[in-house]
Amino acid sequence: MKVRTVLGDVAAGELGVTDSHDHLFFRSALLAGQELDDPDAAVQEAKDFKQAGGRTIVQWTPYGLGRGAEWLAKVSEEAGVHVVAATGFHRAEHYAVEVVERVRPRLAELFVDELTSGIGATGVKAGMIKVAGGFHVLDEHATYVLRAAAEAHLQTGAPIGVHHELGSGPDAVLDLLTEQGVPPASVILGHLNRFPDHELHLELAARGAFWRSTGRRGRTTRRIRTCSSAWRRWSMAGTPGSCCSAATRPRRERGRPPVKGRGCPIC
């Protein structure tokens, strides 16, 4: 089984300790002053991650937000870590109106192209689809983008990672994606600790989806100890899978995180 990285497909067993949601590069007018756009700093962060025992970084920065696709291979090579890039589209507020109007009609096509042919002229292929829900409800933009992500998933098998504004609305997101034919195990629901509805989170886990808990430290957003075994279940050949936080993903049967070393409850 293979996982798609910026340097090519690798055996899933080679992933090692995985930072399963991060941003080495990011730029949005909505978050002025919080740009991540320094390739040398990204290389150093990745080196620090490797020195701490890390082996793989999954960058969730989607289309049009300065994801640094032209630099990701350099980061991977110089730091000696695997890097997974993302295609996808964020909330409309992150983009100029003309960008949304130009890209939205062909979103599914764009996602599939970046997953299978590469991101622009970089030669780097995306390994996941990053999208976003709305604030408590799915607005028209979020609904449109989620459906495009589902279409791209059905063509490629790529996992879908979802940003939730203040952790809200994950049940509506999972409902929509599964109605479109996406298996829950191919969905990663992000930032759910920002809206700590534990009963809802347990229900989402019982349905088979993965969810992310987020912490902030230093220059980039960092996550609690992660489990890479879920990524090992996915390949471009169409085997479903995703990623999880082994420190926060609850066990179905007891509502507690997995025991260290045992991996996530689905893997």
Side-chain angles (χ1 to χ4, degrees), residues 119-184:
I119 299 171
T122 66
V124 168
K125 295 178 182 178
M128 68 168 293
I129 307 164
K130 152 63 178 289
V131 290
F135 182 54
H136 289 286
V137 296
L138 293 180
D139 57 25
E140 187 271 339
H141 175 82
T143 299
Y144 188 97
V145 174
L146 285 164
R147 286 176 175 163
E151 182 179 342
H153 165 82
L154 294 175
Q155 293 186 49
T156 64
I160 300 172
V162 187
H163 167 95
H164 291 89
E165 197 65 14
L166 296 181
S168 66
D171 48 346
V173 167
L174 190 60
D175 288 346
L176 188 153
L177 290 174
T178 55
E179 287 168 3
Q180 299 297 310
V182 179

Side-chain angles (χ1 to χ4, degrees), residues 79 96 173 179 185 192 202 210 215:
V173 167
E179 287 168 3
L192 297 199
L202 289 171
F210 293 96

Side-chain angles (χ1 to χ4, degrees), residues 37-82:
D37 55 8
D38 186 335
D40 294 332
V43 169
Q44 186 59 54
E45 292 251 346
K47 287 181 177 179
D48 292 344
F49 174 67
K50 182 180 181 181
Q51 186 175 9
R55 190 74 182 93
T56 301
I57 298 172
V58 184
Q59 171 169 268
W60 282 39
T61 311
Y63 174 92
L65 296 182
R67 57 188 153 171
E70 68 273 25
W71 297 108
L72 292 178
K74 166 187 168 73
V75 172
S76 181
E77 290 172 339
E78 295 191 9
V81 298
H82 301 301

Side-chain angles (χ1 to χ4, degrees), residues 9-27:
D9 294 355
V10 301
E14 296 179 9
L15 292 182
V17 175
T18 301
D19 179 358
S20 56
H21 180 172
D22 217 318
H23 297 279
L24 292 166
F25 298 93
F26 185 86
R27 181 180 64 252

Side-chain angles (χ1 to χ4, degrees), residues 66-139:
R67 57 188 153 171
E70 68 273 25
W71 297 108
L72 292 178
K74 166 187 168 73
V75 172
S76 181
E77 290 172 339
E78 295 191 9
V81 298
H82 301 301
V83 176
V84 177
T87 186
F89 210 67
H90 214 313
R91 294 166 51 215
E93 296 93 321
H94 284 283
Y95 302 94
V97 173
E98 56 268 24
V99 173
V100 176
E101 292 177 346
R102 182 181 74 250
V103 174
R104 265 190 37 165
R106 59 182 186 91
L107 273 183
E109 177 186 353
L110 171 68
F111 298 164
V112 171
D113 188 52
E114 293 193 336
L115 288 161
T116 59
S117 299
I119 299 171
T122 66
V124 168
K125 295 178 182 178
M128 68 168 293
I129 307 164
K130 152 63 178 289
V131 290
F135 182 54
H136 289 286
V137 296
L138 293 180
D139 57 25

